Amino acid sequence: MPSRHIPLPGDAVALSAATVDKLLRKGSGDAALLYLYLLRHDGFYDPEEAGRALQWDRARLDGALLHLNEIGVQTGEEQPPFTAPVPKKEDATEYSREDLAQAISDKNSDFPALLEEVERKYGAKLPDRDTRTLLELFDHLGMPAEVLLLLVNWQCEEYAEKYGEGRHPPMSHVRTAAYRWKKAGIDTLEAADAYLKKLSYYRSQEGTLLAAMDIQGRKALEGERKFLNQWLDWGFPPETVAMAYERTVMNTGERKWSYCNGILKRWHQAGLHTPEEVRLAEAPRRSARKGGGKSVGPAPAKPLTTQQQQAQAQALEENQRQLNRLLEETAWVENHKP
């Protein structure tokens, strides 16, 4: 196959040379693609979203994740398979007073320390009803004490933010959240930590995305957060959201979240995430309209400075070198498949 030059976009995601070398030595195209997905999403890994984005099933995702782990990428503990049954609420044991007393006095269990920490967080001794709920989550649901403590702390922070400092969520809220976490596979310390970091990232970006939707001075509503989180998962910066919002208002006369989401979804499916990418993709259509249906050439590009030209040449050279390595390694893997 003759050599050729393949132009690469100027906004390429950066990989270190050491990581590229590890991926090439591993010879797993799926591992490389999953690594690029993780780079695009700031390291946050949601199996369902990753599966949709990459169009892979869970087995293929798990295989790629295992390969990343083998080359030293810390991916946490193995996640339980989606087919793992989640204990049902209605099957929970009806714990008696004797059951509670035995669980609280069991020195070989983590439950007594968990109960003590939760009561410290609530600032009061839990009534038997709430202690039974906590025991259900620990014993029946099988959630580790450290994961339950993270969940309780998070629920308390959310509740205080919504209803005021010093207010604590009912244990029924904690119970609902715990079953939701278990169903999503968030039942290890690593998975819970990653999930809470992802929520923290969402919240840190919420204000700028709301401003892009011309909303200031308040927090996002629950329904709005679903859209905002989805746009972050798709990789949209606030500038692109603002562009989609402007078109939404121009076309509908109002702030219509579902309409704006539809615009961003089409751009995401087309691989357009920055305003520059959107404008570049739409330039031929605008030119055709202005030219009476005849395509006209794009406006001449602004000349680059000598320094910019040198930087661009160096970047292209490095990209070419890495791409050639990847192509050679991929060809080797294909030729040596059993």
Side-chain angles (χ1 to χ4, degrees):
M1 178 180 177
S3 62
R4 64 181 68 185
H5 173 254
I6 301 177
L8 298 176
D11 59 343
V13 176
L15 286 82
S16 69
T19 299
V20 171
D21 291 341
K22 288 180 181 179
L23 290 170
L24 291 175
R25 284 195 298 269
K26 188 63 186 175
S28 170
D30 283 355
L33 284 174
L34 181 57
Y35 194 88
L36 291 174
Y37 170 87
L38 292 172
L39 283 178
R40 184 66 177 169
H41 293 79
D42 295 327
F44 295 119
Y45 177 66
D46 182 328
E48 293 186 3
E49 171 59 29
R52 286 193 296 269
L54 295 168
Q55 298 182 8
W56 293 352
D57 59 23
R58 181 60 188 267
R60 190 173 177 184
L61 274 173
D62 287 347
L65 200 64
L66 178 62
H67 288 161
L68 287 182
N69 216 337
E70 289 172 349
I71 66 172
V73 177
Q74 298 301 314
T75 55
E77 295 183 359
E78 182 179 355
Q79 296 296 304
F82 283 166
T83 54
V86 175
K88 297 180 180 179
K89 295 179 182 180
E90 56 269 23
D91 294 335
T93 302
E94 290 289 338
Y95 298 101
S96 64
R97 285 182 176 271
E98 291 73 19
D99 293 330
L100 292 184
Q102 183 178 352
I104 294 171
S105 62
D106 188 351
K107 296 181 179 179
N108 296 320
S109 170
D110 292 331
F111 182 74
L114 170 65
L115 177 60
E116 183 180 344
E117 289 298 322
V118 172
E119 288 181 337
R120 182 179 292 114
K121 184 68 179 179
Y122 274 69
K125 182 177 176 59
L126 292 184
D128 286 352
R129 179 187 65 254
D130 290 346
T131 305
R132 286 190 178 92
T133 299
L134 191 62
L135 182 58
E136 174 190 334
L137 303 181
F138 177 81
D139 178 58
H140 173 68
L141 190 58
M143 295 283 275
E146 61 269 22
V147 175
L148 283 173
L149 192 56
L150 280 178
L151 187 148
V152 168
N153 287 333
W154 169 66
Q155 283 277 294
C156 286
E157 290 172 7
E158 292 278 300
Y159 203 81
E161 180 182 346
K162 190 173 183 179
Y163 296 105
E165 197 66 33
R167 301 288 299 277
H168 298 95
M171 285 301 293
S172 59
H173 287 205
V174 176
R175 182 174 184 256
T176 299
Y179 276 91
R180 189 167 60 244
W181 277 28
K182 184 71 174 182
K183 186 176 181 180
I186 309 171
D187 56 359
T188 66
L189 190 59
E190 290 78 10
D193 185 59
Y195 176 69
L196 293 177
K197 283 181 178 177
K198 184 174 183 178
L199 287 181
S200 177
Y201 170 72
Y202 284 157
R203 298 300 165 83
S204 70
Q205 301 299 310
E206 183 178 287
T208 56
L209 291 185
L210 282 177
M213 295 290 290
D214 199 24
I215 298 175
Q216 295 182 0
R218 69 168 175 84
K219 297 184 181 296
L221 305 176
E222 284 303 314
E224 296 170 344
R225 275 179 175 160
K226 291 180 181 179
F227 287 114
L228 299 178
N229 295 348
Q230 180 64 78
W231 300 344
L232 288 170
D233 282 339
W234 283 342
F236 284 110
E239 295 79 9
T240 313
V241 173
M243 179 185 289
Y245 168 69
E246 182 180 355
R247 296 192 182 189
T248 298
V249 175
M250 289 178 62
N251 294 337
T252 69
E254 58 181 324
R255 183 190 297 114
K256 200 168 184 178
W257 287 84
S258 58
Y259 190 95
C260 188
N261 185 68
I263 294 175
L264 291 170
K265 184 177 182 179
R266 287 194 299 274
W267 289 348
H268 174 65
Q269 291 172 341
L272 310 173
H273 295 90
T274 67
E276 293 75 17
E277 289 171 342
V278 174
R279 294 188 190 102
L280 186 62
E282 295 179 346
R285 189 168 56 193
R286 291 197 302 268
S287 298
R289 285 200 299 265
K290 290 180 180 179
K294 297 180 180 180
S295 179
V296 297
K302 184 179 179 180
L304 299 177
T305 65
T306 302
Q307 186 177 6
Q308 289 173 327
Q309 290 175 353
Q310 291 175 347
Q312 187 179 64
Q314 290 174 357
L316 288 174
E317 235 179 283
E318 177 64 17
N319 285 334
Q320 182 64 45
R321 183 180 69 82
Q322 294 181 8
L323 183 61
N324 286 340
R325 281 189 186 178
L326 183 58
L327 291 173
E328 289 171 5
E329 188 69 17
T330 302
W332 186 93
V333 172
E334 290 296 327
N335 292 333
H336 291 75
K337 280 184 176 179

